[in-house]
């Protein structure tokens, strides 16, 4: 059987494909008699199958030429699978501890074969909704972000390697455009795709669309998103793109990846933790009290940034005589100056993180794609109360991000708004 | 005769090449008996021939795989001719009044055939040294910069077209790297290529290499140069890249072009006008008094920025419902907000202009490539006095650029430093 053109994988040809693909067949121990195959794609975009054989397992992910959750009416290039596979491989090379291994990539079929993240791995967002603490989460996520964002920046790359990589990822423009629309545009204008908890948040959504200062700030962030090629970013690093157990943290789904502002990734993760925080009051009557859990989320936010800061600057120190061409060691040749450039770089990255994090919060409340953290709160008025707090905090954060000197101040502001 | 591989053009094969190339042959009226051929490349990088036939004329420019003024010891990709031709064509499409027409491009031979800018066109820098006023210069240069920088930015382009173009010009990385080295690196460290008017400026050059704040600022500009894909910039827009008569202004030599910060072009031009200003005292004893001429240069600086501002924002207004995706009209839908975003965009562009302009001044005094404005001042101590004033002004401008609210304030600072 030949696979010489694109075709959506169905159950019929699935096994034939596995048999015809040596790298996948080997991972399954070349035994195909007792395969368990399960379609699990709960995401918005792709088909995802888990294949378990007596001798091994794999996940098979295939991109289709449209957005799955909307259907063929919203076409979306299947070439995104190429960028997803490229980034899984590149980020996996830089941080193998927290990126699942890619076994196989078929560009024609837009198909990736990769490690099956076996139970008890679950999507982090679901863990946060269930109130489960992950003591290593901040440690692991800061490690992943520090390594992937440092090693793909000009702090480590030559400008030759950087520009080559930038050019390649310019090809992922359709996915970038989706981000531009749903994060930087739609929430700030009337759009058929926007939705919110109505009627409770009608006035709040309208206020977003009428807020000149908010729009001025979102424009600055959009311009950075479109024009600044700082690092190879994941591009969609919310808590639904992370799978966890108590010991393991694995980052998946980098199909939105491209060379963009590093703060977009750090902000996506922290912004989604803040969403999880504000959703807790909506879950607290399901039996358990969430007071202590909220404290844990705030601690995780603080640790994530502070560990990221420590690890990122440590990589910088370790490689200050390395290939990176942003700050040549012959020029930045004294300790005072090294501290100055580091402070400036990290302050900028921090304020980008807060800005992008806020933007990602806003769009989850008044834009097209919502988060299960809030959606799973059945009672609409209660959900709206949680969402309004999150929205108000995000607006403040977006407008006043430059006034926050450190993550502790951000966390204090969250607590203050929550209790006021 | 076949030209199926690269070979440097010599007088012997020159005519054969013209005959074999229909677009060039036509421009010469298909008459090859009385050709006048003159090699005029006084630049640093290429061979440039003028060909005049009874029935027409052309300039033939060929890139060689090394930097001409240094020789084969400094290799430099001849692919730069491709980017030069592309940008001449693109900028020419956007602003035909001020860009010479391209008749022919041969990628294999790295050869461009283009309009011969007939006498009395001279290089602007030579005109400035001679003390010649060009009453239309500010008008023309602001027109060229406004059109080329506006139409290639996200104020006019979709993100799809922008990212495609960005990817293409990432290929010009070798020329970008040359800029990175000679503008953003070498002047701030010990380098075999640096030179200055010694011994007079020895301490000044050393002070540049020891100035932490200057180095902090140049790092920020380098990062913008390497990471910000704002517009298709010329990349080397000094007064040696402009040919002028009283009525005509033509921009040539965009081989350093790529998607970079718009302020790099505006700054290059204005910075070189400021160099011309500070060089005038070195020319004033050659007969004529340069007092009035210095006033004209300052007036031209002021008008260049102010006209650029007016024209650029007028293009923005005219196209605010156009294809550009930076500021969607459905979001930026009231006058207050439109004024806010414009002020922010133009303030940033102004401060980038001042920063890059200052960087380009500094490198011409203590870096590898100097300017004829100063080099033609024979007496070293007098030259050093002029250069020191320019250097000191540039250092102030680089460090304090964000404090300047408008170009008039910059011009006042120039006058103040000049007379103190």
């Amino acid at each position: 059987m030949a696979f010489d053109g694109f075709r959506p994988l169905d159950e019929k040809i699935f096994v034939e494909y596995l048999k015809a693909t040596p790298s996948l067949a080997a991972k399954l121990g070349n035994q195909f008699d007792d395969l368990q195959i399960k379609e699990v794609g709960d995401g918005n975009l792709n088909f995802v199958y888990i294949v378990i054989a007596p001798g091994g397992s794999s996940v098979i992910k295939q991109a289709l030429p449209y957005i799955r959750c909307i259907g063929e009416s919203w076409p979306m290039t299947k070439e995104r699978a190429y960028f997803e596979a490229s980034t899984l491989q590149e980020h996996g090379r830089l941080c193998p501890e927290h990126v699942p291994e890619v076994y196989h990539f078929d560009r024609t079929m837009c198909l990736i074969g990769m490690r099956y993240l076996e139970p008890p791995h679950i999507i982090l967002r679901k863990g946060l909704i269930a109130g489960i603490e992950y003591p290593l989460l901040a440690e692991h996520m800061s490690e992943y972000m520090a390594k992937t964002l440092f090693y793909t920046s000009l702090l480590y790359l030559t400008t030759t390697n950087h520009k080559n990589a930038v050019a390649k990822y310019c090809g992922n423009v359709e996915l970038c455009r989706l981000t531009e629309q749903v994060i930087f545009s739609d929430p700030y204008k009337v759009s058929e795709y926007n939705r919110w908890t109505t009627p409770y948040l009608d006035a709040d959504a309208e206020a977003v669309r009428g807020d000149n200062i908010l729009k001025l700030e979102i424009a600055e962030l959009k311009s950075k998103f479109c024009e600044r090629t700082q690092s190879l970013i994941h591009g969609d690093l919310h808590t639904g793109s992370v799978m966890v157990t108590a010991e393991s943290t694995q980052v998946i789904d980098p199909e939105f990846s491209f060379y963009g502002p590093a703060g977009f990734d750090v902000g996506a993760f922290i912004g989604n933790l803040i969403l999880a925080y504000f959703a807790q009051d909506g879950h607290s009557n399901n039996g358990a009290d969430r007071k202590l859990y909220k404290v844990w989320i705030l601690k995780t936010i603080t640790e994530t940034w502070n560990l990221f800061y420590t690890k990122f600057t440590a990589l910088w120190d370790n490689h200050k005589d390395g290939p990176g061409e942003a700050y040549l060691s012959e020029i930045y040749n004294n300790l005072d100056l090294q501290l100055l450039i580091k402070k400036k770089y990290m302050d900028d990255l921090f304020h980008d993180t807060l800005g992008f994090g806020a933007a990602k919060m806003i769009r989850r409340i008044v834009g097209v794609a919502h988060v299960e953290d809030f959606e799973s709160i059945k009672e609409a008025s209660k959900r709206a109360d949680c969402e309004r707090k999150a929205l108000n905090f995000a607006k403040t954060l977006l407008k006043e991000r430059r006034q926050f000197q450190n993550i502790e101040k951000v966390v204090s502001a969250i607590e203050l708004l929550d209790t006021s």
Side-chain angles (χ1 to χ4, degrees), chain A residues 128 239 271-281 283 297 373-374:
Chain A
L128 294 168
T239 50
N272 274 270
L273 288 181
I274 302 176
L275 289 177
Y277 174 89
F278 282 111
Q280 292 302 318
D281 287 352
H283 306 307
I297 295 180
D373 309 65
F374 292 128

Side-chain angles (χ1 to χ4, degrees), chain A residues 23 38 73 83 123 147 158 168 172 175 207 223 270 310 321:
Chain A
S23 55
K38 199 162 61 159
S73 67
F83 296 103
I123 293 285
K147 284 184 173 167
T158 64
K168 166 177 163 171
N172 206 18
L175 279 277
S223 148
I270 287 179
T310 304
D321 301 311

Side-chain angles (χ1 to χ4, degrees), chain A residues 181 210 230 405 410-411:
Chain A
Q181 179 183 340
Q230 189 175 12
Q405 318 250 299
V410 176
V411 164

Side-chain angles (χ1 to χ4, degrees), chain A residues 104-120:
Chain A
H104 168 72
F105 176 59
D106 179 335
R107 192 162 179 176
T108 305
M109 287 285 279
C110 307
L111 185 152
I112 303 170
M114 55 194 281
R115 178 186 160 195
Y116 167 48
L117 296 167
E118 69 293 337

Side-chain angles (χ1 to χ4, degrees), chain A residues 293-337:
Chain A
Y293 194 61
K294 286 169 76 172
V295 172
W296 177 81
I297 295 180
L298 293 182
K299 181 165 142 275
T300 301
I301 291 170
T302 307
E303 286 181 1
T304 298
W305 172 261
N306 287 339
L307 285 169
F308 171 75
Y309 184 100
T310 304
K311 289 165 191 269
F312 191 93
T313 53
L315 288 170
W316 191 344
D317 286 337
N318 291 343
H319 293 285
K320 76 177 158 44
D321 301 311
E325 293 187 318
Y327 302 92
L328 302 182
S329 58
E330 299 155 275
I331 300 175
Y332 300 90
N333 55 1
N334 62 76
L335 192 62
D336 282 353
L337 185 51

Side-chain angles (χ1 to χ4, degrees), chain A residues 43-269:
Chain A
N44 300 325
L45 298 173
N46 310 287
F47 280 129
V48 182
Y49 296 90
I50 295 169
V51 192
I52 300 178
S57 62
S58 180
V59 158
I60 307 291
K61 180 171 179 180
Q62 187 179 38
L64 301 173
Y66 48 82
I67 295 183
R68 188 188 172 194
C69 65
I70 295 182
E72 305 195 15
S73 67
W74 193 332
M76 184 52 55
T77 174
K78 57 188 165 53
E79 265 292 279
R80 64 186 187 267
Y82 166 67
F83 296 103
E84 176 169 1
S86 293
T87 302
L88 281 172
Q89 286 165 332
E90 177 65 4
H91 282 183
R93 192 176 67 77
L94 298 171
C95 188
E97 319 85 285
H98 303 300
V99 180
E101 186 188 347
V102 172
Y103 303 145
H104 168 72
F105 176 59
D106 179 335
R107 192 162 179 176
T108 305
M109 287 285 279
C110 307
L111 185 152
I112 303 170
M114 55 194 281
R115 178 186 160 195
Y116 167 48
L117 296 167
E118 69 293 337
H121 278 103
I122 60 168
I123 293 285
L124 172 58
R125 193 185 298 284
K126 293 183 188 291
L128 294 168
I129 293 167
I132 304 169
E133 295 189 14
Y134 296 95
L136 297 175
L137 182 63
E139 178 73 34
H140 288 172
M141 286 304 293
S142 60
E143 181 84 7
Y144 165 79
M145 295 190 293
K147 284 184 173 167
T148 57
L149 299 175
F150 174 81
Y151 283 114
T152 59
S153 77
L154 285 169
L155 298 177
Y156 184 76
L157 294 181
T158 64
T159 53
T160 304
N161 290 339
H162 181 258
K163 272 216 164 46
N164 283 344
V166 168
K168 166 177 163 171
Y169 279 93
C170 281
N172 206 18
V173 60
E174 274 199 49
L175 279 277
C176 290
R177 286 173 67 78
L178 185 55
T179 301
E180 290 158 25
Q181 179 183 340
V182 299
I183 295 181
F184 300 107
S185 298
D186 280 356
Y188 304 91
K189 67 185 185 68
V190 173
S191 161
E192 55 176 314
Y193 301 109
N194 289 341
R195 58 189 189 83
W196 54 84
T197 301
T198 189
Y200 306 98
L201 296 186
D202 289 1
D204 301 84
E206 197 184 342
V208 168
R209 297 196 300 271
D211 189 330
N212 279 1
I213 302 303
L214 208 59
K215 291 177 174 186
L216 186 66
E217 294 298 339
I218 201 71
E220 179 176 325
L221 293 175
K222 182 179 181 182
S223 148
K224 278 199 184 170
F225 182 82
C226 294
E227 294 180 348
R228 183 159 189 210
T229 62
Q230 189 175 12
S231 292
L232 175 56
I233 65 175
H234 177 286
D236 196 27
L237 194 55
H238 55 75
T239 50
S241 296
V242 181
M243 295 196 71
V244 283
T245 69
E247 296 85 29
S248 165
T249 307
Q250 302 291 326
V251 176
I252 59 173
D253 292 353
E255 58 214 299
F256 285 85
S257 56
F258 76 114
Y259 274 78
F264 191 79
D265 272 5
V266 190
F269 185 67

